[in-house]
Amino acid sequence: NRELGHRAEEAWNLDNLGTGIRGQGDNVSARALHLEALRIARDLGDRRCTAESLGNLGLAAANLGELERAGRLLREALGIRH
């Protein structure tokens, strides 16, 4: 996706990859992928992908025991969706 310039697709793919990796228990790697997806989504102004990435970051943070951070991320995601 990078070579073709499809940045929105790249963001979604990174976020989806992070979700799969998080499902396998690797929350640290998942967080890195969700952060990269979030950066791209924000650069593009893609509110839906931004919200999804924030929500997934919140879930990864919760899985890592970072409950305060998880709450902030999830609230931010909900604020974008509504």
Side-chain angles (χ1 to χ4, degrees):
N1 287 335
R2 287 180 182 168
E3 294 81 16
L4 298 174
H6 298 288
R7 302 289 287 162
E9 288 179 29
E10 181 181 1
W12 281 105
N13 289 339
L14 287 166
D15 197 56
N16 288 331
L17 182 58
T19 298
I21 289 173
R22 191 179 75 244
Q24 296 175 352
D26 187 354
N27 291 286
V28 173
S29 295
R31 178 170 48 196
L33 291 163
H34 294 311
L35 280 170
E36 181 65 12
L38 177 61
R39 185 186 66 77
I40 294 168
R42 283 183 167 159
D43 285 349
L44 295 174
D46 185 332
R47 291 175 50 85
R48 184 169 173 241
C49 188
T50 296
E52 288 291 324
S53 297
L54 284 166
N56 286 323
L57 277 167
L59 294 174
N63 290 342
L64 290 166
E66 302 169 357
L67 300 183
E68 196 172 305
R69 182 171 191 258
R72 283 193 311 269
L73 290 163
L74 292 168
R75 282 189 297 277
E76 186 177 351
L78 286 172
I80 291 171
R81 289 184 185 177
H82 298 290

